[in-house]
Amino acid sequence: YDVLCENGIIIEPNVDVGLFEFSNPQPVIDSGYVATIRKMEQIKQVVIREADKNDLNERRKEFIFQSGEVVFDNIIIEGLNDKQSLYVKKILRSGDTHITMEKIKEGYFRLAGDNKIKSIYPKALFNDSTGMYDLYLTMRKEKDIVTYFGGNFSNRPISEGYFGIKYNYLGGFASSVKGNFYFGKLYTSVQVKSRLDFPLPLPLFIEPNVTWSSWDYYKSSNTFLEDIKPSFLKQIEQYGRLNVGIPIGTKGRLIGGAAITKVASLYYQTHEFSIQDTTDETDFDAFSSNLYYEVNSLDRKLYPSKGARVLAKVRYVRGDELTIPGSTSIDTISEFEKFHEWVQFKFKADKYFNRRGRFKLGAMVEGAFSTQTVFHNYTSSVLAAPRFQPIPDSKTRFIEDLSAYQYIATGIKLIYNITSTLEVRAEAYLFQPYKALVKNSTLTTDKSSPFESRQVIGTSAFVWHSPLGPLSTSVNYYDSEDSPFSFLIHFGYIIFNDRALD
């Protein structure tokens, strides 16, 4: 490096650290301090003014006392047009003429997290004529059209590709229209979603979307490699949904919505079927409404290790079931129709305790309570029940014993950071249904005695958080399965569009 100014001094700490390695900053800070002390005599030779430490502290206290509370008066926006600037000011002011530092934070963080804003740089200058501060914001709008590419590559037949395209509009209000397309053996989905954000005193957003998804658990089963015949199960979901939401603080949101849904389930009720057999089909046409509250500060979408997430949800569902028997059903002639109506409560809390050092601890608890009645047969009853899917591998499987109308589950997570991007994880969960769903001799559904059975789920994994997504190698355990251990390698995110009734 070249020193450009006459009295410049270069301080070079002896560190070997990447630009984005923020997980362990103390050694870097200590090295910087030591390197500065070594240069102190040289620094003193070019310092032309010195002040007494006690005198300086008194002057600082006096300045802070005189300045009082930081209050903003004028907001000057650079980089946006008049309509876009007006939208930003409405979010920041929330109807107030003068804004305190604490009050402006909420609007500022909302703008910083808005995906229609590419960047925002603030500067506050004291205005002698008003006795308050002027806030200068240098901002850049996100591109009008943004495209997304992604996917997941795996040793199991659950690999998938992803493509998305989004149009952003920022004016007197903000809006976006986004479409995405997932394609793979397990999961295929198309979604079109729009969002409108209104800069009201209590900010409000409206989000309609239309989604079509297909889940094929037969094609994605890894039991083909084990000479075990998997059960045939395919679900096709279609729904149109309208959500309305408001922010709660800087990390929370409250959302209410309603949806019209059609779920078609195709399945055999036995493992012994041939190509000539026809599947049972259960169609469920329903209306649902929901209200949920969420606070989320997790650091990653998959394999998080910092922050917390709390979700509380209530859903009302009413709809008509139509079951058409196939050739493997006991009753192969009569169609069955039934009206269902239920209320479902679901709660989940996930918390990571960021202790110093390389070891981290996480804990979670999840519960569900539903008043729903059983469907015509065991398989359709399980498909309609809430599911417990605590690890990425479980989101790609249909495990009958991890579904129940009422359950409580808890888990613990141990994480060891080898580096800031490479970690070892060990997780264990206990799933306790109130009354487990049981298949009887007529292939319909019974319920077990209260708390009669429970399931244990576990996983151990090496995870590398690469710039393109997580690369994970894991061994997973489900004690209810005939082959309880499974092995999963995947590169990319195991993430899907929202389920119709989840």
Side-chain angles (χ1 to χ4, degrees):
Y1 298 97
D2 293 327
V3 179
L4 301 180
C5 57
E6 181 181 355
N7 295 327
I9 296 172
I10 292 179
I11 299 173
E12 296 182 282
N14 183 20
V15 295
D16 182 16
V17 63
L19 182 62
F20 296 102
E21 292 185 26
F22 303 122
S23 61
N24 191 20
Q26 195 58 47
V28 181
I29 296 171
D30 295 340
S31 297
Y33 178 81
V34 170
T36 304
I37 294 299
R38 289 172 180 166
K39 295 272 188 175
M40 189 55 66
E41 292 302 320
Q42 186 179 351
I43 293 171
K44 287 181 177 180
Q45 292 176 9
V46 296
V47 172
I48 60 175
R49 183 178 64 86
E50 293 186 20
D52 180 73
K53 182 178 180 180
N54 295 329
D55 179 58
L56 184 61
N57 287 336
E58 290 300 321
R59 289 164 58 194
R60 284 174 173 164
K61 290 179 181 179
E62 183 180 356
F63 174 79
I64 294 172
F65 177 78
Q66 291 178 350
S67 63
E69 186 179 24
V70 176
V71 178
F72 295 101
D73 181 20
N74 298 313
I75 299 177
I76 298 93
I77 310 294
E78 299 175 353
L80 302 180
N81 63 34
D82 291 342
K83 287 186 176 180
Q84 295 165 351
S85 298
L86 181 61
Y87 171 81
V88 171
K89 290 178 181 179
K90 285 181 178 179
I91 289 180
L92 291 173
R93 289 192 182 278
S94 298
D96 297 328
T97 303
H98 302 141
I99 324 152
T100 65
M101 174 70 80
E102 287 301 317
K103 193 160 187 179
I104 209 169
K105 280 183 180 179
E106 187 173 333
Y108 178 82
F109 288 137
R110 189 172 297 120
L111 288 171
D114 191 329
N115 53 24
K116 291 172 281 296
I117 303 293
K118 186 174 183 64
S119 64
I120 176 171
Y121 182 80
K123 182 171 63 174
L125 296 178
F126 186 74
N127 190 327
D128 291 323
S129 62
T130 63
M132 291 178 282
Y133 285 83
D134 294 335
L135 179 62
Y136 291 81
L137 296 176
T138 302
M139 304 182 67
R140 290 177 60 194
K141 176 183 174 294
E142 184 56 89
K143 296 177 181 178
D144 289 341
I145 298 179
V146 182
T147 54
Y148 305 86
F149 299 91
N152 175 52
F153 302 94
S154 174
N155 66 314
R156 286 180 50 212
I158 61 171
S159 301
E160 64 183 16
Y162 173 86
F163 171 74
I165 186 169
K166 183 178 183 181
Y167 171 75
N168 293 311
Y169 170 79
L170 184 61
F173 64 95
S175 65
S176 62
V177 179
K178 181 179 180 180
N180 66 45
F181 175 43
Y182 291 83
F183 51 96
K185 285 187 175 182
L186 167 68
Y187 182 68
T188 303
S189 182
V190 178
Q191 182 181 80
V192 178
K193 178 190 292 187
S194 179
R195 173 164 168 154
L196 293 86
D197 291 274
F198 300 95
L200 303 173
L202 181 62
L204 172 77
F205 73 84
I206 299 175
E207 188 177 64
N209 78 81
V210 177
T211 304
W212 179 93
S213 299
S214 173
W215 296 81
D216 194 327
Y217 294 99
Y218 182 74
K219 288 183 179 179
S220 65
S221 173
N222 65 348
T223 54
F224 287 116
L225 305 177
E226 302 174 2
D227 196 29
I228 299 174
K229 193 169 186 179
S231 59
F232 182 91
L233 174 58
K234 183 174 183 179
Q235 272 193 306
I236 300 173
E237 300 180 342
Q238 306 170 63
Y239 65 84
R241 179 177 293 161
L242 178 66
N243 285 334
V244 178
I246 58 173
I248 304 294
T250 57
K251 300 176 182 178
R253 57 181 182 165
L254 180 67
I255 295 179
I260 297 175
T261 300
K262 181 179 179 65
V263 180
S265 302
L266 307 174
Y267 52 90
Y268 292 116
Q269 298 194 61
T270 175
H271 293 277
E272 303 302 323
F273 55 85
S274 67
I275 194 171
Q276 288 80 25
D277 286 319
T278 58
T279 61
D280 286 42
E281 178 176 349
T282 297
D283 296 333
F284 185 55
D285 298 334
F287 166 83
S288 68
S289 58
N290 67 87
L291 179 69
Y292 71 89
Y293 169 72
E294 180 184 31
V295 176
N296 191 348
S297 61
L298 296 178
D299 61 337
R300 301 187 182 102
K301 292 181 180 294
L302 197 64
Y303 302 112
S305 60
K306 294 181 181 179
R309 180 176 182 241
V310 176
L311 174 67
K313 180 186 296 186
V314 58
R315 180 182 296 276
Y316 167 74
V317 181
R318 59 179 296 159
D320 295 306
E321 171 199 357
L322 172 62
T323 295
I324 304 171
S327 59
T328 61
S329 177
I330 291 179
D331 181 2
T332 60
I333 300 176
S334 303
E335 294 184 357
F336 176 84
E337 295 184 44
K338 184 179 180 180
F339 173 76
H340 295 270
E341 183 176 29
W342 70 81
V343 177
Q344 176 183 306
F345 300 91
K346 199 165 187 178
F347 173 81
K348 182 176 181 179
D350 200 359
K351 169 71 175 176
Y352 293 87
F353 304 92
N354 295 320
R355 304 173 62 186
R356 290 188 177 185
R358 296 182 180 272
F359 279 102
K360 296 181 180 178
L361 177 67
M364 67 87 67
V365 62
E366 179 177 317
F369 176 83
S370 177
T371 63
Q372 67 192 100
T373 53
V374 297
F375 279 50
H376 180 54
N377 57 57
Y378 170 77
T379 303
S380 58
S381 297
V382 172
L383 286 169
R387 303 179 192 177
F388 180 58
Q389 299 174 314
I391 60 178
D393 180 73
S394 64
K395 299 180 189 299
T396 68
R397 295 168 170 265
F398 175 67
I399 301 177
E400 298 175 6
D401 293 327
L402 294 182
S403 296
Y405 293 156
Q406 299 95 25
Y407 69 82
I408 185 74
T410 186
I412 188 169
K413 313 173 192 185
L414 298 175
I415 304 167
Y416 178 77
N417 291 110
I418 301 174
T419 67
S420 59
T421 58
L422 181 63
E423 64 188 23
V424 181
R425 303 174 69 98
E427 305 177 21
Y429 301 89
L430 178 66
F431 173 76
Q432 177 62 71
Y434 172 58
K435 291 183 178 180
L437 301 176
V438 180
K439 183 190 295 186
N440 59 32
S441 60
T442 61
L443 304 182
T444 55
T445 311
D446 289 333
K447 292 184 179 181
S448 70
S449 301
F451 308 110
E452 180 178 337
S453 62
R454 60 205 56 84
Q455 311 300 328
V456 174
I457 305 99
T459 183
S460 59
F462 286 93
V463 182
W464 175 46
H465 297 280
S466 79
L468 297 179
L471 173 61
S472 171
T473 300
S474 65
V475 176
N476 309 290
Y477 175 78
Y478 308 92
D479 70 340
S480 63
E481 297 289 274
D482 293 334
S483 299
F485 289 97
S486 65
F487 181 63
L488 175 66
I489 300 175
H490 76 90
F491 176 48
Y493 290 94
I494 300 179
I495 298 177
F496 310 104
N497 286 326
D498 290 339
R499 300 295 298 257
L501 295 175
D502 185 14

